[in-house]
Amino acid sequence: MRRLCALLLAISVFLFTLNSCKSNSSVEHNTPPVIGDISYSSPIFLMSLETIEGEEEPGIVYREVLDFNNLITSDKTIILYFFTTANSDLSGITAGVEDMAQYYGDSILFVGVDCSQRKDITTAYGVVALPEFVYIRNNVLVSYFEGYKYDYWEIEDVMNWIEEMK
């Protein structure tokens, strides 16, 4: 567990350092009817890299997704992150997903879907285990991470999978 925490911390620092050289992105790239206000309790949210008033550096905020179908059918590259709030995040997966969202900025949109609240979307994508990741490019489902096929995996395995899909 200590090794995992150290690894996640190292990845976070690495991603933050790399991302500090990138331009700031904001929710302005999305149409207002698709993405809503900041909400940390929404069952579907976009992890958006923004500079919040009073802060010097950009960080990840959760924006409510108001129109999931319109977002998914856009020409964007999207990673759907299926999870449930019913299980605690012992391995820090959500923090790792936030790091990836920060690293990729607006080139890949990271959308969280709480399976306990949106079973319709979970079923539509055939999610069989949690957490799960789905790669969508230009409105086409490209790949599943299929974490359940691994004996053990870490967030860097998900990053490697994303890089293979690019």
Side-chain angles (χ1 to χ4, degrees), residues 17-84:
T17 303
L18 282 177
N19 195 53
S20 65
C21 298
K22 293 185 174 186
S23 64
N24 294 346
S25 68
S26 75
V27 79
E28 294 171 19
H29 298 286
N30 299 300
T31 57
V34 176
I35 305 303
D37 292 332
I38 295 173
S39 173
Y40 292 93
S41 61
S42 176
I44 307 171
F45 55 86
L46 171 70
M47 292 181 178
S48 179
L49 182 61
E50 301 178 35
T51 302
I52 302 296
E53 187 176 331
E55 298 287 327
E56 293 181 21
E57 297 291 326
I60 295 297
V61 296
Y62 290 23
R63 292 264 177 194
E64 181 179 13
V65 174
L66 301 172
D67 187 347
F68 180 77
N69 291 331
N70 195 17
L71 179 64
I72 292 301
T73 58
S74 72
D75 61 353
K76 302 284 186 185
T77 299
I78 299 169
I79 301 292
L80 296 179
Y81 164 50
F82 289 93
F83 70 99
T84 180

Side-chain angles (χ1 to χ4, degrees), residues 5 36 55 59 62 78 89 106 140:
C5 289
E55 298 287 327
Y62 290 23
I78 299 169
D89 190 14
D106 61 359
V140 175

Side-chain angles (χ1 to χ4, degrees), residues 78-132:
I78 299 169
I79 301 292
L80 296 179
Y81 164 50
F82 289 93
F83 70 99
T84 180
T85 55
N87 294 335
S88 62
D89 190 14
L90 296 177
S91 58
I93 297 298
T94 299
V97 176
E98 289 176 358
D99 289 342
M100 289 189 296
Q102 188 166 353
Y103 174 72
Y104 288 105
D106 61 359
S107 67
I108 298 177
L109 303 180
F110 286 80
V111 177
V113 179
D114 185 344
C115 296
S116 64
Q117 296 183 45
R118 292 306 304 260
K119 293 178 182 171
D120 58 328
I121 296 173
T122 305
T123 301
Y125 281 91
V127 173
V128 296
L130 298 177
E132 183 63 273

Side-chain angles (χ1 to χ4, degrees), residues 5 12 80 119 138 144 159 166:
C5 289
S12 297
L80 296 179
K119 293 178 182 171
N138 297 325
Y144 290 88
M159 285 191 72
K166 286 177 76 176

